[in-house]
Amino acid sequence: MVLATGSETTSSAGDRRARLTRDAIGVLVILAFAVLGYLLFPNNLALLTRITAIALLVLSLDLVTGYCGVATLGHAALFGAGAYGAGIAAAHFGVTDPIAMLAVGIVAGALAGLVSGVVVLRAHGLPQLVLSIAIVHLAHEAANKASGWTGGSDGLAGIMPDAVFGLYPFDLWGRTAYVFGIVLLVVIFVVLRQIVRSPFGMLCRGIRQDPVRIRAMGGSVHGTLIRMYAISGAVAGAGGALNAISTQVVGLDSLSFTLSAEALVMLVLGGTGSLYGALIGTVTFLWFEDVVSAANPFHWLTIVGALLIVVVLFAPKGLYGSLAAALERRGRRGR
């Protein structure tokens, strides 16, 4: 009995070390690509910062869609809440410290996620999808009508963030914004890795697979999904705040249905139910879109559509999901 317990403890400690090693490798890979992007594209850091902000949106979408199985096409409402929250705090209330603006965006996104979750989770399947679409359209129209606060269709300007920690001002080349965004992405990624592997994260995966069984076991399905929606909103709000801080303007495109739909496409492209897949899908889609639209401004949507068809047909689990599955099969054959 004692030997078995010791063996189990050793195995558990080994698993924890293996997970920590994989997490450390993942963070190092993200930082390596960030440094590579900084060195190779010093004149295009604004695009890379935009990719970072959208990556946070796709990560937040993965939390509710990939890990909880909630169908939604309205996640841009949470991203836009964070962007407008940070922008309004700076333009109307003089909150220009970037960390404080980020905190406001996170809180605004979490509150928007809480409200959206309460509404969206009232239904299932297609009605749930329709409710999420209605939410993003309502948020877009509300921001357009409240032009005194949001700037309406002209956008919210006058956002002038201070230097980070009073030492690193936001320059015209976007270097400070880029580094600020990468640090934010890494911190949130590490936190989310812990969340999805926690008992709470395991419960969310169980709800995605069989909510009836989880309910029969005494688990709170609705309460768990609401909490995850709030967490997802906080992550999306952080992305929106980063976008407002880096561009110093917030437009209605932050609340557009198109952004919600593209975020879902990026998630499917990379692979649902995987934080790495969300990052890979975002970078691949936005980089491909930028390159193809510059090379062929008239037919780039056709080329992007063809790419998506190829990925869905030949890599149905997404780029990362299909690669991970292939490596797992090869490892089994090797053993």
Side-chain angles (χ1 to χ4, degrees):
M1 181 70 71
V2 175
L3 290 176
T5 302
S7 177
E8 290 174 2
T9 303
T10 303
S11 177
S12 177
D15 290 342
R16 283 197 297 269
R17 284 196 296 270
R19 289 196 297 267
L20 289 175
T21 301
R22 288 195 297 268
D23 287 350
I25 292 174
V27 170
L28 289 176
V29 169
I30 294 173
L31 292 175
F33 273 98
V35 172
L36 194 63
Y38 186 92
L39 295 176
L40 294 179
F41 307 103
N43 298 321
N44 213 4
L45 294 181
L47 172 63
L48 299 182
T49 307
R50 168 73 174 174
I51 291 175
T52 304
I54 299 301
L56 291 172
L57 169 61
V58 180
L59 283 172
S60 73
L61 178 61
D62 197 22
L63 292 178
V64 297
T65 300
Y67 286 93
C68 297
V70 178
T72 174
L73 274 170
H75 235 59
L78 316 185
F79 182 86
Y84 275 108
I88 290 172
H92 294 287
F93 296 98
V95 181
T96 54
D97 179 75
I99 305 299
M101 292 173 64
L102 178 63
V104 172
I106 290 173
V107 172
L111 291 175
L114 190 62
V115 173
S116 298
V118 170
V119 175
V120 170
L121 295 174
R122 297 284 296 177
H124 301 279
L126 287 177
Q128 190 175 71
L129 204 61
V130 172
L131 282 177
S132 68
I133 295 172
I135 286 174
V136 73
H137 282 304
L138 287 173
H140 184 279
E141 188 61 19
N144 189 32
K145 293 298 182 182
S147 56
W149 289 95
T150 65
S153 58
D154 295 328
L156 177 63
I159 303 171
M160 293 180 290
D162 297 333
V164 181
F165 302 125
L167 300 173
Y168 308 103
F170 288 87
D171 53 277
L172 294 176
W173 296 274
R175 291 174 293 199
T176 300
Y178 179 65
V179 175
F180 183 78
I182 292 298
V183 172
L184 177 63
L185 176 64
V186 169
V187 170
I188 290 179
F189 179 81
V190 171
V191 172
L192 293 184
R193 286 287 291 175
Q194 302 306 312
I195 290 176
V196 299
R197 285 204 305 250
S198 68
F200 171 73
M202 294 296 107
L203 179 59
C204 289
R205 294 191 187 194
I207 291 172
R208 180 194 64 187
Q209 295 175 359
D210 194 345
V212 175
R213 185 175 183 180
I214 296 297
R215 193 175 290 111
M217 293 170 62
S220 175
V221 173
H222 189 266
T224 301
L225 293 179
I226 288 291
R227 288 195 294 273
M228 184 57 94
Y229 232 107
I231 295 171
S232 173
V235 176
L242 172 62
N243 193 59
I245 292 169
S246 61
T247 62
Q248 300 183 14
V249 65
V250 182
L252 291 176
D253 58 329
S254 298
L255 286 166
S256 67
F257 170 75
T258 300
L259 180 59
S260 290
E262 287 184 346
L264 184 59
V265 169
M266 295 175 209
L267 180 58
V268 173
L269 180 63
T272 60
S274 167
L275 299 180
Y276 292 110
L279 294 180
I280 291 173
T282 303
V283 173
T284 302
F285 181 87
L286 291 178
W287 174 81
F288 190 80
E289 181 184 64
D290 182 70
V291 171
V292 172
S293 61
N296 193 335
F298 299 104
H299 302 98
W300 65 274
L301 278 175
T302 303
I303 302 174
V304 171
L307 168 69
L308 296 177
I309 290 174
V310 170
V311 171
V312 171
L313 290 179
F314 296 98
K317 293 182 179 180
L319 296 174
Y320 176 79
S322 298
L323 177 61
L327 292 176
E328 184 178 357
R329 287 194 301 270
R330 179 176 296 181
R332 288 175 181 173
R333 286 198 299 267
R335 289 193 296 269

